[in-house]
Amino acid sequence: MSPLFIAVLALNLTLSTIADVSTTVSRVTTNLNWFYIGLIFNILAVTTFTFLIRIGGLAVSTSIILLLTILINVLFGVLMFHENITYLQWIGIGTGFIAVILISGVFVPFQ
């Protein structure tokens, strides 16, 4: 993966996470300002996601970004919002993490 791909990926994950957390805060507090903040960050996340697809292609970019977004949001849900995750759900989350490693091609010696 190129340094540009990794940089845009990190930016997209940051924007997406801020959007998801803002939207969740808006649901918990019923404060619509958080909803609008989340909406703005979602628009920015979609824009960077579109650029990410142009750099890395649809299949790999989509798989990596969706799985990492799920992993990050689960951690925020558990740590910030005290949501409960069952044992089987943790197995699914771990499987998703392994999938990101395999899809990204980190362990492929020659590409």
Side-chain angles (χ1 to χ4, degrees):
M1 287 189 279
S2 73
L4 179 61
F5 181 85
I6 293 170
V8 175
L9 177 71
L11 177 62
N12 182 271
L13 286 171
T14 303
L15 294 170
S16 178
T17 301
I18 292 170
D20 292 340
V21 169
S22 298
T23 305
T24 303
V25 170
S26 115
R27 179 184 56 85
V28 172
T29 64
T30 65
N31 183 344
L32 277 180
N33 291 333
W34 286 106
F35 171 78
Y36 295 121
I37 291 168
L39 183 62
I40 291 167
F41 277 96
N42 262 316
I43 291 169
L44 295 172
V46 168
T47 304
T48 58
F49 181 68
T50 304
F51 185 63
L52 193 64
I53 291 173
R54 288 182 55 96
I55 299 169
L58 180 64
V60 172
S61 298
T62 302
S63 301
I64 292 172
I65 203 73
L66 289 176
L67 290 169
L68 287 176
T69 301
I70 289 168
L71 294 173
I72 291 169
N73 286 332
V74 166
L75 289 175
F76 271 99
V78 169
L79 298 175
M80 285 182 62
F81 300 107
H82 308 291
E83 297 176 359
N84 295 322
I85 305 294
T86 67
Y87 179 72
L88 286 176
Q89 289 170 327
W90 278 116
I91 291 174
I93 293 163
T95 304
F97 183 71
I98 293 168
V100 168
I101 292 170
L102 295 174
I103 291 169
S104 67
V106 170
F107 296 115
V108 177
F110 302 103
Q111 291 184 344

